[in-house]
Amino acid sequence: LELGAKIDSEDRRMSSRFALFRGVKLNERNTDPLLNIAVLSGKRHATGFETDVIGKITPRWEVYGSYTWIWDAEIDKGAEGAEGVGRRPSLIPKHQGTLWSTYQVNSQWRVGGGLNFRSEQTPNRNPGWTVPGYVTVDAMAEYKFDERNLLKANITNLGDLLYADALYSGHYVPGAGRTLMVTFTTKF
């Protein structure tokens, strides 16, 4: 269930979207503790708010921002004797978002940067502990040779932050470290 709206500025330079939502997932996979097999017996819900804003502050300066707040998430039903009923499902942070901006320096150069954040979260199967939230920083530069040829460099996780991307009860998979990606695009 979702209730939302999209609002555009009169000059169409800015657009925003927001929504309140409640999702219910039925037949969620649970582990039967007696048989140690997966069964489709679970149910969970999540209630929250999300918003996006995108547009041009000036003809050369573009911005994008998104934010999600999931204030109520709970496992409603699980396999008989399974852990987790009444708890917040794992891997669902309360807050997450992105803020990104680019600037067209001249007809050939465009530069930008952004932030990505996620609040603390619990690992898979929610053992009762959390990992801290994090913020990563990204940057980009783009050079347009002509209408057909474009060279772009992106650096993700500019600060080389160590953070938990995928979480499990006994270990975690770290997020990608600082990564440089250079692409050349041409149109035929």
Side-chain angles (χ1 to χ4, degrees):
L1 179 65
E2 186 170 322
L3 175 65
K6 181 176 183 249
I7 301 171
D8 294 327
S9 65
E10 189 174 329
D11 61 3
R12 299 274 191 226
R13 286 180 36 197
M14 298 294 285
S15 180
S16 61
R17 180 188 65 82
F18 58 92
L20 293 168
F21 62 86
R22 179 167 174 92
V24 177
K25 182 179 177 186
L26 302 172
N27 297 319
E28 180 174 52
R29 184 188 333 225
N30 284 282
T31 301
D32 185 314
L34 299 175
L35 302 174
N36 200 27
I37 60 170
V39 292
L40 299 178
S41 63
K43 176 183 173 187
R44 72 164 68 177
H45 73 270
T47 306
F49 169 79
E50 61 185 349
T51 186
D52 296 320
V53 176
I54 187 168
K56 292 186 173 198
I57 294 180
T58 70
R60 292 178 177 223
W61 184 16
E62 294 182 66
V63 294
Y64 170 78
S66 74
Y67 170 72
T68 302
W69 173 31
I70 301 176
W71 66 77
D72 176 40
E74 188 174 308
I75 298 171
D76 300 310
K77 179 183 169 194
E80 188 68 33
E83 293 183 65
V85 175
R87 287 187 173 179
R88 184 176 188 90
S90 57
L91 307 175
I92 298 181
K94 282 190 177 183
H95 306 278
Q96 61 185 3
T98 297
L99 182 60
W100 185 263
S101 182
T102 61
Y103 187 78
Q104 189 75 43
V105 177
N106 56 35
S107 62
Q108 293 177 300
W109 283 100
R110 185 168 77 129
V111 295
L115 304 171
N116 305 294
F117 74 92
R118 185 179 293 171
S119 65
E120 72 177 17
Q121 55 187 327
T122 58
N124 194 26
R125 291 197 286 279
N126 197 342
W129 50 271
T130 63
V131 295
Y134 62 88
V135 177
T136 59
V137 178
D138 299 340
M140 63 82 70
E142 184 177 88
Y143 183 79
K144 188 176 183 180
F145 292 94
D146 52 40
E147 293 304 314
R148 293 181 23 200
N149 300 298
L150 180 73
L151 181 65
K152 188 176 197 176
N154 285 55
I155 301 176
T156 57
N157 193 4
L158 188 62
D160 202 23
L161 180 72
L162 177 62
Y163 64 95
D165 189 37
L167 302 166
Y168 301 92
S169 298
H171 69 285
Y172 75 97
V173 177
R178 182 183 308 118
T179 305
L180 170 64
M181 185 169 49
V182 178
T183 57
F184 178 76
T185 307
T186 188
K187 296 178 186 174
F188 293 101

